[in-house]
């Protein structure tokens, strides 16, 4: 669409209205809209104010002094029917005194340099003043004019010398945040007196060059750098060797109009001639596709009015040491909305118009929202699939084998995502290449340096060096927490390289080290967060050579480790083919069971334990099968699948009896008791609990005795036998004192909950409340979300009985949120209970 308005006032009014709505809906700035439409910001502001270009100031042109501006503001406040005090009280961060300064014309603040609005913007946005978006934009320009910061102060010259700078990508879209950051950098450069160096870094194909060229050709850059732009491709990650700095200097001098015959051969003389040629100029210098810091340093000018914009896959961290003020702008893949917008433009109007929003989003996600991948996939769809394959179907095709599909043809490596990644890979050292390949074998979203050390089998120092090299090459991302992650497409690339380069045995050994690291770290940690695991510990044996498990000594550290690692650990287990590393598979499943139980991840637990049970059966390990059956039963019980739970508990008990494992028998009886109670068979539950107590006592298990005493007391209470119930539960509370202090909170929570229930039934509300609060404190100390939800539910019922419906509603609502989140079967009953209230 050609946005240039017709000469009629009606057309100007329509355009003004359309632009105001567009700015409000899109969230774009005036500068972004102006650049998109190919006109000046002044033109857009004129349209917004309902005037033709050239009508400077629009409806506020008469406000040519701060005093006049202040008088207008005073009148506007009066017209609103509010006092200055009322306006100040309803405007964030703006005081009455500040407004008085403004309306007296004594002080008018300069516009902010960042994206966030300042106090003056917030005042104009106060709805009580009734200013439209169009009026606020126009007043912003008045303020800029009065403070000497008008965006139209500098006009780009008509014959701006772009020299070797590539043409702008006509499909360029998005990158609004990065463009605003570059614009702020430009304003900082205008105020400063030193060279500013900005480095755009990121993985190959992320769009660094496209962004640099687009911004370099923007009106703001042209207005600042009136002497034009220099551009050189340093071939840092091309098939050719990186451009030598002296060769680059010679090329830049030629762009500056220096006769090649007069260019000196001596490196120092060449550098001096370059600096001399730039003296007194205002020029933008784009150094594209840089490889390393030494390649760049000779090309950075000393002329303070010049700005250097660098693109590189390397992070170029050494520049900060030698060039103070260097700004690094790391580029990530496109946000979802920007990726979808770019894809719609690439696909063309007919195709994109017919596609649903979720199909476009799926297409963009299949490309990893990487700009290069989006361009390639869109071109392939337009050329080969637009008439036969829908956008949704093509997105599904892409996910099947992305790297092989994300290329246009064998004759142009620049249009292949894999080829672009290959260039980065080839520039790595041998240890970094091997680390990159093996990292592709890890299926989780991220991993710690310790886990990477076990995966590679190298020393801690060598692994850290390789990780640092990969991070500097933008092949790896390091989070603020110190964890490392690969982009999805890079992971597929690394995995493909591993399959082509590393033997089956080497890849298998790496995965074994990975799983051994998980299990040998998780099993001791599990005993800290769930005490029953301690008495059912499994023999792990020695980890494979090169594995360096982590040693966790604090409960909080153990919880944090599980929270960070459980998803990757489960993914690594479920990824293993049947018959591969079966010992590690079932051990990993067991190691995760305590955390999953405490956190309430029951559906995930079922999937994981079915894999663990299959592995245990394949290796013929009866004890391992007992463990897996019991964990599956816990999970099925929590999900309300009682028949499945009973089948697994019965099988666990049969195997435990066959192997004469009393601890496992006791645990199976405890599970059967809980299951029977949930089905309303409290007599059967009591008998199973008595058997649980006998076996635990015979085995000398302090934890088992405490839990069994509580269970027997609980089921007496369910049968209305409160005297016996209190006797057993008080014995259980005493037995808790004999348990290691680190494990005690879990047990005391369960017993206190039982005593709270009993005293509630006896009408002793204060004693019941005291026990429930103790139970709540203990489950929170233990980190059990399931336990917290169950205790809160019981506490809510107590509040109802005590005649406090508000407290009951609050406790039940908290319980519902927790149990819903973990998928607990009791959530539906709670929801109905709250509805009744």
């Amino acid at each position: 669409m050609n946005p240039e308005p017709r000469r009629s006032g009606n057309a100007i009014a329509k355009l003004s209205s359309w632009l105001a709505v567009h700015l409000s809906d899109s969230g774009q700035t005036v500068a972004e809209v102006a650049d998109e439409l190919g006109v000046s910001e002044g033109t857009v502001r004129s349209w917004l104010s309902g005037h033709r270009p050239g009508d400077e100031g629009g409806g506020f042109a008469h406000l040519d002094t701060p005093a006049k501006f202040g008088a207008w503001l005073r009148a506007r406040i009066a017209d609103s029917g509010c006092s200055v005090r009322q306006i100040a009280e309803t405007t964030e961060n703006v005081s009455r005194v500040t407004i008085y300064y403004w309306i007296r014309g004594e002080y008018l603040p300069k516009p902010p340099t960042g994206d966030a609005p300042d106090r003056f913007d917030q005042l104009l946005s106060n709805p009580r003043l009734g200013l439209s978006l169009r009026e606020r934009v126009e007043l912003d320009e008045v303020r800029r004019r009065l403070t000497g910061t008008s965006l139209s102060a500098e006009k780009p010259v008509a014959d701006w010398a772009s020299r070797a700078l590539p043409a702008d990508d006509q499909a360029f879209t998005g990158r609004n945040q990065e463009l605003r950051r570059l614009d702020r950098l430009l304003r900082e450069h205008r105020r400063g007196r030193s060279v500013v160096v900005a480095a755009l870094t990121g993985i190959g194909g992320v769009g660094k060059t496209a962004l640099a060229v687009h911004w370099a050709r923007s009106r703001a850059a042209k207005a600042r750098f009136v002497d034009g732009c220099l551009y050189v491709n340093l071939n840092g990650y091309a098939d050719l060797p990186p451009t030598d700095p002296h060769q680059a200097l010679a090329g830049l001098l030629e762009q500056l109009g220096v006769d090649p015959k007069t260019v000196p051969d001596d490196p120092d003389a060449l550098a001096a001639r370059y600096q001399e040629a730039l003296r007194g100029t205002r020029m933008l210098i784009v150094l594209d596709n840089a490889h390393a810091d030494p390649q760049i340093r000779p090309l950075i000018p000393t002329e303070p009015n010049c700005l250097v914009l660098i693109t590189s896959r390397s992070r170029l961290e050494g520049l900060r040491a030698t060039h103070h003020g260097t700004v690094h702008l790391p580029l990530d893949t496109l946000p979802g909305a920007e990726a979808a917008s770019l894809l719609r433009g690439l696909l063309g109007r007919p195709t994109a118009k017919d596609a649903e929003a979720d199909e476009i989003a799926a297409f963009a996600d299949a490309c990893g929202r990487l700009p290069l991948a989006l361009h390639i996939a869109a071109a392939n769809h337009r050329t080969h699939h637009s008439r036969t394959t829908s956008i949704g179907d093509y997105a599904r095709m892409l996910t099947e084998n992305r790297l092989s599909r994300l290329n246009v043809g064998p004759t142009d490596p620049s249009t292949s995502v894999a080829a672009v990644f290959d260039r980065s890979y080839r520039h790595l050292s041998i240890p970094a290449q091997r680390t990159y390949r093996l990292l592709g074998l890890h299926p989780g979203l991220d991993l710690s340096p310790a886990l990477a050390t076990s995966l590679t089998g190298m020393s801690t120092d060598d692994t850290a060096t390789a990780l640092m090299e990969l991070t500097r090459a933008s092949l790896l991302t390091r989070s603020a927490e110190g964890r490392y992650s690969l982009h999805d497409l890079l992971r597929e690339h690394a995995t493909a390289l591993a399959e082509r380069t590393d033997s089956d045995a080497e890849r298998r050994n790496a995965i074994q080290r990975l799983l051994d690291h998980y299990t040998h770290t998780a099993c001791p940690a599990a005993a800290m967060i769930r005490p029953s695991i301690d008495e059912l510990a499994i023999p792990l044996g020695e980890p494979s050579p090169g594995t360096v498990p982590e040693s966790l000594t604090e409960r909080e550290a153990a919880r944090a480790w599980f929270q960070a690692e459980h998803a990757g650990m489960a993914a690594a287990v479920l990824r293993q083919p049947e018959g591969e590393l079966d010992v590690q598979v079932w051990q990993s499943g067991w190691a995760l069971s305590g955390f999953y139980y405490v956190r309430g991840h029951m559906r995930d637990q079922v999937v994981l334990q079915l894999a663990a049970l299959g592995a245990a059966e394949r290796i013929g390990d009866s004890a391992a099968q007992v463990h897996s059956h019991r964990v599956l039963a816990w999970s099925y019980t929590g999900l309300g699948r009682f028949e499945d739970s009973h089948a697994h508990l019965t099988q666990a008990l049969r195997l435990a009896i066959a192997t004469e494992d009393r601890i496992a028998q006791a645990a199976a009886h405890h599970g059967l008791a809980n299951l029977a109670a949930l089905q309303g068979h409290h007599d059967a539950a009591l008998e199973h609990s008595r058997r649980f107590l006998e076996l635990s006592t015979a085995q000398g298990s302090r934890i088992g005795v405490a839990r069994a005493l509580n269970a027997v007391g609980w089921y007496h209470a369910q049968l209305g036998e409160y005297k016996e119930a209190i006797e057993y539960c008080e014995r259980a509370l005493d037995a808790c004192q004999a348990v290691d202090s680190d494990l005690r909170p879990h047990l005391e929570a369960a017993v206190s909950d039982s005593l709270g229930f009993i005293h509630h039934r006896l009408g002793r509300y204060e004693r019941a409340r005291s026990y429930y609060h103790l139970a709540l404190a203990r489950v929170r100390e233990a980190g059990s979300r399931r336990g917290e939800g169950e205790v809160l539910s019981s506490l809510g019922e107590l509040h109802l009985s005590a005649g406090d419906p508000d407290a009951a509603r609050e406790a039940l609502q908290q319980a519902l949120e927790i149990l819903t989140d973990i998928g607990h079967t009791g959530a539906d009953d709670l929801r109905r209970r709250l509805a009744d209230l």
Side-chain angles (χ1 to χ4, degrees):
M1 164 184 124
N2 182 3
E4 189 66 34
R6 296 173 183 169
R7 294 300 178 183
S8 69
N10 186 45
I12 289 289
K14 288 182 179 180
L15 180 60
S16 173
S17 176
W18 179 87
L19 279 173
V21 172
H22 177 71
L23 282 168
S24 179
D25 291 346
S26 69
Q28 288 181 295
T29 65
V30 171
E32 289 167 350
V33 171
D35 194 52
E36 206 172 86
L37 298 178
V39 298
S40 70
E41 289 186 41
T43 298
V44 174
R45 291 178 186 278
S46 296
W47 292 342
L48 276 169
S49 61
H51 295 77
R52 296 184 180 90
D55 296 343
E56 286 296 325
F60 301 107
H62 63 289
L63 304 181
D64 54 3
T65 67
K68 290 180 180 179
F69 193 100
W72 174 87
L73 181 58
R74 181 192 294 274
R76 187 74 185 196
I77 293 174
D79 290 343
S80 73
C82 300
S83 66
V84 171
R85 180 188 296 276
Q86 290 171 322
I87 293 295
E89 288 174 348
T90 55
T91 305
E92 188 177 1
N93 299 324
V94 177
S95 69
R96 181 166 52 94
V97 173
T98 299
I99 296 178
Y100 275 123
Y101 273 123
W102 292 341
I103 63 179
R104 286 198 296 265
E106 296 179 3
Y107 167 72
L108 195 61
K110 290 184 177 181
T113 58
D115 297 327
D118 67 351
R119 293 182 299 168
F120 195 82
D121 293 326
Q122 290 170 334
L123 174 68
L124 296 183
S125 299
N126 190 318
R128 295 192 176 195
L129 294 182
L131 291 169
S132 67
L133 174 64
R134 183 184 66 196
E135 290 171 319
R136 295 201 305 272
V137 169
E138 192 172 354
L139 286 167
D140 177 68
E141 178 57 26
V142 171
R143 171 168 61 146
R144 291 177 182 275
R145 190 173 67 244
L146 293 176
T147 57
T149 56
S150 175
L151 292 173
S152 59
E154 291 184 303
K155 302 294 183 184
V157 295
D159 57 345
W160 190 74
S162 59
R163 296 182 175 86
L165 185 68
D168 197 3
D169 181 359
Q170 296 303 309
F172 185 92
T173 187
R175 293 297 185 197
N176 296 326
Q177 182 177 349
E178 291 83 358
L179 287 168
R180 284 195 292 269
R181 181 68 184 91
L182 286 168
D183 286 341
R184 287 201 301 271
L185 185 67
L186 191 61
R187 290 194 289 269
E188 293 165 10
H189 181 263
R190 181 184 291 124
R191 291 196 298 267
R193 296 303 303 165
S194 61
V195 179
V196 173
V197 180
L200 298 174
T201 60
I203 63 174
V206 81
K208 301 179 293 296
T209 299
L211 174 60
V213 170
H214 182 76
W215 183 78
R217 290 187 173 277
S218 69
R219 293 177 178 272
K222 290 178 180 179
R224 175 60 184 163
F225 303 110
V226 293
D227 294 311
C229 177
L230 301 179
Y231 172 88
V232 60
N233 184 351
L234 296 173
N235 292 318
Y237 294 87
D239 292 328
L240 301 171
T243 303
D244 182 88
H246 304 137
Q247 181 184 352
L249 282 172
L252 290 171
L253 282 170
E254 187 174 345
Q255 290 183 40
L256 287 166
V258 176
D259 187 345
K261 297 177 181 179
T262 66
V263 173
D265 293 329
D266 178 71
D268 293 336
L270 185 63
R273 185 68 180 275
Y274 171 68
Q275 299 295 351
E276 177 64 28
L278 289 175
R279 187 168 301 154
T281 64
R282 283 168 53 180
M283 195 166 289
L284 176 63
I285 301 163
V286 179
L287 306 178
D288 192 20
N289 197 15
H291 178 255
D293 308 71
Q295 187 188 26
I296 299 167
R297 289 192 181 99
L299 311 181
I300 297 178
T302 56
E303 168 57 48
N305 286 316
C306 292
L307 183 144
V308 179
L309 183 60
I310 306 166
T311 74
S312 180
R313 300 184 195 183
S314 170
R315 291 179 61 85
L316 304 174
E317 294 174 346
L319 280 181
R320 291 181 179 175
T322 57
H323 288 78
H324 178 70
T326 297
V327 177
H328 280 82
L329 303 175
L331 254 62
D332 201 351
T333 52
L334 290 170
E338 291 188 2
S341 177
L342 173 60
L343 190 55
R344 287 185 181 278
L346 294 171
L347 290 170
R349 183 179 298 275
T351 303
K353 184 179 179 181
D354 294 338
E356 299 290 338
D358 57 348
E359 291 180 322
I360 293 289
F363 195 139
D365 288 341
C367 296
R369 301 204 302 273
L370 188 73
L372 174 63
L374 291 168
H375 277 80
I376 293 171
N380 282 340
H381 183 270
R382 286 200 317 268
T383 305
H384 305 294
H385 302 279
S386 58
R387 296 185 179 182
T388 58
T389 309
S390 69
I391 293 296
D393 288 340
Y394 189 66
R396 284 184 284 273
M397 288 170 56
L398 278 175
T399 58
E400 296 169 3
N401 192 353
R402 292 195 288 185
L403 287 180
S404 66
R405 293 184 183 277
L406 290 175
N407 70 87
V408 172
T411 60
D412 185 2
S414 65
T415 57
S416 166
V417 171
V420 169
F421 292 167
D422 283 340
R423 295 193 193 102
S424 294
Y425 172 78
R426 286 197 296 270
H427 284 82
L428 298 172
S429 66
I430 297 300
Q433 287 182 346
R434 179 177 178 273
T435 300
Y436 175 70
R437 297 194 304 270
L438 295 182
L439 289 178
L441 302 179
H442 178 255
L445 294 177
D446 58 15
L447 77 171
S448 66
L451 189 58
T453 299
S454 290
L455 180 62
T456 62
M458 301 190 303
S459 69
T460 301
D461 290 343
D462 288 345
T463 301
T465 300
L467 293 173
M468 185 180 299
E469 183 179 345
L470 290 170
T471 304
R472 287 175 175 170
S474 297
L475 291 172
L476 204 58
T477 301
R478 186 178 187 272
S479 69
E481 295 76 25
R483 297 180 67 81
Y484 293 90
S485 60
L486 284 166
H487 183 272
D488 288 348
L489 290 173
L490 284 172
R491 179 181 289 108
E492 291 183 21
H493 179 252
T495 303
L497 282 172
E499 291 174 352
R500 294 198 303 267
T501 307
D502 303 310
S503 66
D504 291 345
E506 186 168 0
R507 297 200 307 276
R508 186 182 188 278
N509 290 339
I511 295 172
Q512 183 170 342
R513 288 192 301 270
L514 176 73
L515 293 177
D516 279 349
H517 180 101
Y518 277 135
T519 54
H520 284 263
T521 305
C523 280
M528 297 183 199
I529 64 172
R530 186 161 183 246
S532 62
I533 299 295
D534 187 52
E535 293 208 347
L536 297 170
I538 59 176
L540 291 177
E542 292 295 321
S544 52
T547 307
V548 187
E550 299 169 67
S551 179
L552 306 173
T553 57
E554 301 291 335
R555 183 181 301 170
E556 284 306 316
R559 289 176 187 156
W561 185 90
F562 273 113
Q563 189 61 41
E565 303 292 357
H566 76 92
M569 185 174 178
V573 170
L574 296 174
R575 189 177 182 177
Q576 300 312 306
E578 291 186 3
E580 287 286 329
L581 302 173
D582 280 338
V583 172
Q584 282 78 13
V585 166
W586 93 259
Q587 288 179 346
S588 297
W590 172 247
L592 270 176
S593 62
F595 172 77
Y596 274 5
Y597 181 84
V598 169
R599 302 299 292 175
H601 299 319
M602 286 172 283
R603 292 187 179 87
D604 294 335
Q605 181 85 283
V606 168
V607 175
L608 185 64
Q609 290 305 319
L610 286 173
L613 178 60
E617 290 173 342
R618 284 191 294 272
I619 61 177
D621 188 331
S622 297
Q625 293 173 50
V626 170
H627 289 312
S628 298
H629 279 301
R630 287 182 49 253
V631 178
L632 276 167
W634 297 340
S635 306
Y636 282 134
T637 297
L639 293 170
R641 295 173 56 176
F642 296 150
E643 290 185 7
D644 291 327
S645 178
H646 187 271
H648 284 287
L649 284 169
T650 302
Q651 184 68 357
L653 182 59
R654 184 186 68 79
L655 288 169
I657 292 172
T659 57
E660 299 181 354
D661 187 340
R662 291 185 177 182
I663 291 295
Q665 291 175 47
H669 279 293
H670 183 43
L672 286 165
N674 182 43
L675 181 60
L678 287 172
Q679 295 175 298
H681 309 313
H682 297 297
D683 288 327
L686 182 58
E687 287 306 310
H688 281 297
S689 294
R690 291 186 187 281
R691 185 63 181 143
F692 176 27
L693 179 58
E694 291 172 8
L695 288 163
S696 298
T697 303
Q699 199 64 22
S701 168
R702 294 178 179 179
I703 296 174
V705 167
R707 296 176 71 204
L709 285 169
N710 179 56
V712 172
W714 173 258
Y715 294 123
H716 272 303
Q718 299 304 308
L719 292 167
E721 299 164 359
Y722 297 120
K723 179 180 178 182
E724 294 86 347
I726 291 176
E727 176 187 346
Y728 275 101
C729 287
E730 289 182 343
R731 285 174 59 192
L733 204 56
D734 292 337
C736 289
Q737 307 310 307
V739 175
D740 188 301
S741 59
D742 288 339
L743 309 177
R744 195 180 301 157
H746 298 264
L747 300 175
E748 288 185 343
V751 179
S752 299
D753 181 70
S754 298
L755 286 167
F757 172 83
I758 295 166
H759 288 291
H760 180 189
R761 288 295 180 268
L762 291 172
R764 303 168 183 170
Y765 297 150
E766 285 305 316
R767 293 196 68 182
R769 186 178 291 109
S770 176
Y771 277 119
Y772 277 141
H773 280 296
L774 176 59
L776 195 57
R778 290 294 182 264
V779 293
R780 285 172 175 167
E781 181 183 348
S784 173
R785 296 191 72 227
R786 173 177 177 165
E788 184 179 1
E790 291 172 347
V791 174
L792 282 167
S793 177
S794 300
L795 187 60
E797 295 299 333
L798 173 65
H799 286 314
L800 276 178
S801 300
D804 191 347
D806 291 337
R809 190 177 292 107
E810 181 180 355
L812 292 174
Q813 184 61 46
Q814 292 178 32
L816 177 61
E817 291 172 1
I818 293 172
L819 297 185
T820 299
D821 185 49
I822 66 175
H824 195 287
T825 184
D828 290 338
D829 290 336
L830 267 181
R831 197 170 286 107
R832 286 190 290 270
R833 192 79 177 99
L834 275 166
D836 292 341
L837 287 177

